[in-house]
Amino acid sequence: MGRKVTVATCALNQWALDFEGNLQRILKSIEIAKHRGARYRLGPELEICGYGCWDHYYESDTLLHSLQVLAALLESPVTQDIICDVGMPVMHRNVRYNCRVIFLNRKILLIRPKMALANEGNYRELRWFTPWSRSRQTEEYFLPRMLQDLTKQVTLPHGSWVIATWDTCIGSEVCEELWTPHSPHVDMGLDGVEIFTNASGSHHVLRKAHARVDLVTMATTKNGGIYLLANQKGCDGDRLYYDGCALIAMNGSIFAQGSQFSLDDVEVLTATLDLEDIRSYRAEISSRNLAASRVSPYPRVKVDFALSCHEDLLEPVSEPIEWKYHSPAEEISLGPACWLWDFLRRSRQAGFFLPLSGGVDSAATACLVYSMCHQVCEAVKRGNLEVLADVRTIVNQPSYTPQDPRELCGRVLTTCYMASENSSQETCDRARELAQQIGSHHIGLHIDPAVKALVGLFSLVTGASPRFAVHGGSDRENLALQNVQARVRMVIAYLFAQLSLWSRGAPGGLLVLGSANVDESLLGYLTKYDCSSADINPIGGISKTDLRAFVQLCVERFQLPALQSILAAPATAELEPLAHGRVSQTDEEDMGMTYAELSVYGRLRKVAKTGPYSMFCKLLDMWRDTCSPRQVADKVKCFFSKYSMNRHKMTTLTPAYHAESYSPDDNRFDLRPFLYNTRWPWQFRCIENQVLQLEGRQRQELDGVD
């Protein structure tokens, strides 16, 4: 009697509404799984249409084309003799569900709707889908006529079912359900389910991978069993990067680990595992067995099929492995770079244009493009024909084969240093040296003629000539003169992005890259419609602290010594006049707070969900060794005043790679007002009352000391 099963899970780089491409990637994954001997294949959440369809889920076209792809999968000889588990939207009794459709040999076995929908942060599933709220309950689903002739079925099971094969029992979870307090795998495992599957659409956030892995290993540690996790990977047309990490676990150990970041569109993991190991593991957990004797049973779909073979004594089984994690700096070097690659190839542009200032942020953005070039060259060396075809299309050379990242960078990245009379020679030199070391096509130009023309036009119309503060001007004049420089740079960036390749006799246009980090966005320390306005921003969800660690990693990994001087220099916008040829303006001085403090404010505001008063209370304890209550109060008031004053800038924020849990991105992630009473009178008065009490108590304590 067979007891060893070979199962497959995968990570697919699906693209929202790319039904043809999605179908081919699904078929390829099934083909690979079968070739490796798997009898069950799990795919990512909503893989047929792509996860990020958003309001396209309302459209009947999305449902229709998903059914058409399902029909093509059922018809394909590739899907024969293997249980296929695919994700798609399904309408049942006029209600849309996020579903798993499980089929074998042209017969749909069951439709399993998702029961817990992700509806926080970047997710809005309750907007488009309804959760199936009746555990262990099922209904008849009437198959659309376009599938009835194919499957010879009129109705089939829809609901909270599990599958019983000759040799084992399989139960589904879908993404969010693993994260809920009482996951379905708990009761399914108690009811004898031995193989749990989880189809995910889980995006990359720095330092998140360990949570996903811990949840899976803990599920199988407490309950025993095999757990398969599939995930989408890549950018499917939005700010998110889905970071793979497909895995296979059993009895608390990992047996297969997929990559978190890669340029491979299809990645399949398989493992051969012994069902008897599950049964013996469960046998000695008496508390589990007592609970199992009382559990309500799941309805079972009986399938005339086995995952194991009769004669499998000599079949080798997979060995457990140790999960390998990336450091946060490594995650930054890989995730946004893969996201940039997907954006570049899917937008059909010829490369990127980056205003390179000589500071850490734009340098980090340049390094991400260089990292992308490294990954492209490595993928081509490994024989990835899809990457090779894409890069040839991008550079418009059918016979081109990239080998050197620096040479490829020269083809796909144009950098530009836009000097003004307020720019220092040091930043100009740093930008030029970095461009030389990564190989980008570098342009140096002066924006002073354009700035003087615009200010001159204002003076001609109004008769007034604004001056910088150091020349006796007011704060309003000073700010306006800074902003006009910044906005001129944005106009020049788009002009050069559209025409610089034309001027060189090459076809195509360039995507303008933004380089405002998440902390500057949080505070609004950026000019509206300056270089913060771009086509995409790969660092817009990453903190300044993490960016500095990433740039330090690039110094050693890519041998870029120019980055050392960039890291050593104080962060500055260089928009005010120099003092004796030296920079007189620094970002932290302008902001009135450090980048380290900004990161703390951001996490408290978004993750801990604090308002001004509760932030003050938490910081009193966090900073008790370095700040008095009065200093903490002043810092909190300063942050909330500037945050609320500049919140309107988030409505125009460039679509940015989402990597940080406190992003202020108004586009999807941070749905808060952008017109505030920036004085916060009630909230600040509560803080002030508390400070006065604390200061009074401190005075009493001092008076009581002899």
Side-chain angles (χ1 to χ4, degrees):
M1 180 64 187
R3 64 183 198 181
K4 295 174 184 174
V5 296
T6 300
V7 289
T9 185
C10 56
L12 303 182
N13 193 335
Q14 303 297 74
W15 190 7
L17 303 176
D18 179 24
F19 292 97
E20 178 59 38
N22 293 347
L23 169 62
Q24 296 308 319
R25 285 181 283 270
I26 292 168
L27 285 171
K28 183 177 177 181
S29 70
I30 297 170
E31 194 171 22
I32 294 169
K34 280 179 70 176
H35 179 71
R36 295 182 187 170
R39 308 266 283 173
Y40 173 90
R41 174 269 183 200
L42 174 72
E45 185 175 13
L46 294 166
E47 61 190 302
I48 281 180
C49 55
Y51 183 86
C53 293
W54 306 121
D55 282 0
H56 289 284
Y57 287 122
Y58 290 137
E59 299 167 5
S60 60
D61 284 19
T62 306
L63 296 168
L64 170 66
H65 299 324
S66 295
L67 288 169
Q68 290 169 337
V69 171
L70 177 60
L73 288 168
L74 287 161
E75 281 187 300
S76 172
V78 172
T79 63
Q80 301 305 295
D81 300 320
I82 182 171
I83 296 177
C84 297
D85 187 335
V86 299
M88 60 181 279
V90 173
M91 182 180 280
H92 173 56
R93 298 183 179 177
N94 288 352
V95 177
R96 285 173 172 80
Y97 294 99
N98 174 349
C99 291
R100 304 306 300 169
V101 178
I102 305 169
F103 62 90
L104 169 68
N105 294 338
R106 297 197 178 197
K107 297 285 185 191
I108 299 175
L109 303 176
L110 66 97
I111 296 175
R112 200 288 201 179
K114 189 173 181 179
M115 301 178 71
L117 299 184
N119 210 59
E120 68 287 327
N122 287 291
Y123 295 98
R124 301 282 182 275
E125 288 183 20
L126 278 172
R127 182 180 175 94
W128 310 295
F129 300 115
T130 300
W132 183 259
S133 57
R134 290 169 289 157
S135 179
R136 302 176 185 79
Q137 292 188 37
T138 62
E139 293 178 352
E140 272 191 326
Y141 172 78
F142 283 82
L143 206 58
R145 282 180 295 174
M146 61 185 292
L147 293 178
Q148 286 182 17
D149 292 340
L150 186 61
T151 66
K152 309 304 181 197
Q153 297 168 287
V154 177
T155 63
L156 51 93
H158 179 284
S160 181
W161 295 73
V162 298
I163 293 175
T165 63
W166 291 343
D167 48 1
T168 189
C169 193
I170 306 166
S172 297
E173 289 188 319
V174 187
C175 199
E176 179 76 6
E177 294 170 6
L178 173 62
W179 300 75
T180 58
H182 192 88
S183 299
H185 70 254
V186 176
D187 289 337
M188 287 192 298
L190 294 175
D191 190 35
V193 171
E194 295 179 324
I195 299 175
F196 310 104
T197 66
N198 187 305
S200 283
S202 184
H203 70 283
H204 174 230
V205 176
L206 294 173
R207 305 169 180 86
K208 174 184 170 184
H210 71 277
R212 201 184 291 150
V213 175
D214 289 349
L215 283 168
V216 170
T217 50
M218 186 53 65
T220 60
T221 298
K222 293 199 297 184
N223 216 344
I226 296 168
Y227 202 109
L228 280 68
L229 186 138
N231 195 17
Q232 174 141 328
K233 67 190 299 190
C235 167
D236 73 349
D238 197 59
R239 297 160 181 80
L240 306 185
Y241 179 83
Y242 300 92
D243 60 338
C245 286
L247 64 87
I248 300 174
M250 183 176 73
N251 299 345
S253 297
I254 301 292
F255 284 80
Q257 174 184 355
S259 64
Q260 189 173 10
F261 313 103
S262 90
L263 302 188
D264 297 335
D265 282 348
V266 177
E267 183 180 18
V268 178
L269 299 184
T270 55
T272 301
L273 301 165
D274 194 333
L275 295 172
E276 288 302 321
D277 287 340
I278 300 168
R279 294 156 189 167
S280 59
Y281 182 89
R282 287 177 169 177
E284 61 181 359
I285 308 175
S286 58
S287 58
R288 178 211 165 270
N289 298 333
L290 281 169
S293 68
R294 297 190 294 266
V295 75
S296 301
Y298 275 78
R300 279 162 161 72
V301 174
K302 295 171 185 170
V303 184
D304 190 15
F305 189 74
L307 298 193
S308 60
C309 302
H310 277 295
E311 300 295 332
D312 62 5
L313 281 175
L314 298 178
E315 182 78 18
V317 293
S318 303
E319 295 292 329
I321 60 171
E322 193 75 28
W323 190 278
K324 293 182 176 64
Y325 293 97
H326 295 291
S327 69
E330 289 171 333
E331 289 185 68
I332 294 170
S333 76
L334 297 168
C338 291
W339 183 76
L340 283 172
W341 173 246
D342 279 345
F343 240 103
L344 180 58
R345 67 191 180 116
R346 288 177 170 170
S347 65
R348 297 187 173 275
Q349 297 299 302
F352 300 111
F353 183 90
L354 172 65
L356 190 62
S357 70
V360 168
D361 293 337
S362 63
T365 306
C367 288
L368 286 174
V369 178
Y370 191 55
S371 175
M372 181 199 83
C373 293
H374 264 266
Q375 292 185 66
V376 168
C377 290
E378 287 171 10
V380 170
K381 282 175 190 170
R382 291 195 307 269
N384 189 318
L385 298 179
E386 288 91 351
V387 170
L388 180 59
D390 284 333
V391 78
R392 286 174 171 173
T393 301
I394 289 164
V395 303
N396 196 39
Q397 285 190 7
S399 60
Y400 174 68
T401 299
Q403 294 175 326
D404 175 38
R406 193 171 176 278
E407 186 271 339
L408 175 60
C409 193
R411 292 172 179 263
V412 300
L413 177 62
T414 298
T415 50
C416 181
Y417 183 79
M418 303 187 205
S420 77
E421 61 185 7
N422 304 316
S423 302
S424 66
Q425 188 60 45
E426 289 86 351
T427 54
C428 178
D429 293 342
R430 289 196 291 266
R432 188 183 63 254
E433 286 169 17
L434 178 60
Q436 287 172 348
Q437 288 172 20
I438 64 174
S440 66
H441 179 85
H442 191 61
I443 300 167
L445 56 84
H446 282 267
I447 66 169
D448 292 330
V451 173
K452 286 175 180 172
L454 289 170
V455 176
L457 178 65
F458 175 84
S459 299
L460 183 67
V461 171
T462 64
S465 297
R467 293 175 296 172
F468 282 105
V470 295
H471 299 148
S474 66
D475 287 344
R476 284 192 293 173
E477 295 168 69
N478 198 61
L479 188 59
L481 289 174
Q482 290 184 66
N483 285 344
V484 72
Q485 297 169 72
R487 290 187 175 118
V488 161
R489 286 182 171 129
M490 186 270 284
V491 174
I492 292 171
Y494 273 98
L495 177 66
F496 274 77
Q498 290 176 309
L499 292 181
S500 62
L501 290 182
W502 167 79
S503 70
R504 288 180 256 162
L510 303 174
L511 289 165
V512 178
L513 294 181
S515 56
N517 63 62
V518 72
D519 295 326
E520 290 174 349
S521 300
L522 175 68
L523 197 65
Y525 184 66
L526 47 89
T527 300
K528 210 172 185 180
Y529 305 113
D530 74 336
C531 284
S532 64
S533 297
D535 292 317
I536 52 173
N537 180 359
I539 69 164
I542 304 172
S543 73
K544 189 81 164 190
T545 306
D546 284 333
L547 281 175
R548 293 184 69 86
F550 159 64
V551 171
Q552 187 61 53
L553 176 78
C554 291
V555 174
E556 294 100 37
R557 178 160 292 182
F558 299 139
Q559 280 78 55
L560 301 173
L563 295 173
Q564 293 283 30
S565 58
I566 290 172
L567 282 169
T572 174
E574 288 196 335
L575 295 172
E576 293 191 41
L578 303 174
H580 309 294
R582 311 290 295 181
V583 171
S584 59
Q585 174 189 33
T586 66
D587 291 352
E588 292 188 333
E589 192 176 321
D590 276 0
M591 293 189 300
M593 59 197 73
T594 67
Y595 281 107
E597 288 172 343
L598 260 177
S599 185
V600 173
Y601 299 144
R603 291 179 198 283
L604 288 175
R605 177 198 63 92
K606 181 69 180 174
V607 182
K609 301 172 182 63
T610 61
Y613 181 72
S614 50
M615 182 182 287
F616 165 75
C617 294
K618 285 186 178 293
L619 288 176
L620 273 179
D621 182 55
M622 287 175 63
W623 291 347
R624 63 183 179 276
D625 296 331
T626 55
C627 296
S628 69
R630 172 65 59 194
Q631 289 171 320
V632 172
D634 289 345
K635 287 174 182 287
V636 170
K637 290 177 185 178
C638 177
F639 167 70
F640 269 98
S641 295
K642 291 190 176 182
Y643 161 76
S644 53
M645 196 182 303
N646 290 309
R647 177 68 187 166
H648 65 95
K649 296 179 182 178
M650 297 309 99
T651 63
T652 61
L653 204 61
T654 299
Y657 182 96
H658 181 87
E660 193 48 82
S661 56
Y662 64 90
S663 168
D665 186 345
D666 181 69
N667 292 291
R668 295 245 163 74
F669 183 64
D670 193 14
L671 304 182
R672 298 172 191 243
F674 56 89
L675 181 61
Y676 281 98
N677 181 341
T678 60
R679 292 177 291 110
W680 299 82
W682 185 279
Q683 296 90 333
F684 286 4
R685 189 162 62 247
C686 289
I687 294 174
E688 190 61 27
N689 290 340
Q690 194 64 62
V691 171
L692 291 172
Q693 282 186 34
L694 290 168
E695 288 177 340
R697 191 184 307 160
Q698 287 172 348
R699 278 195 295 271
Q700 286 177 355
E701 289 171 354
L702 287 171
D703 291 343
V705 175
D706 293 330

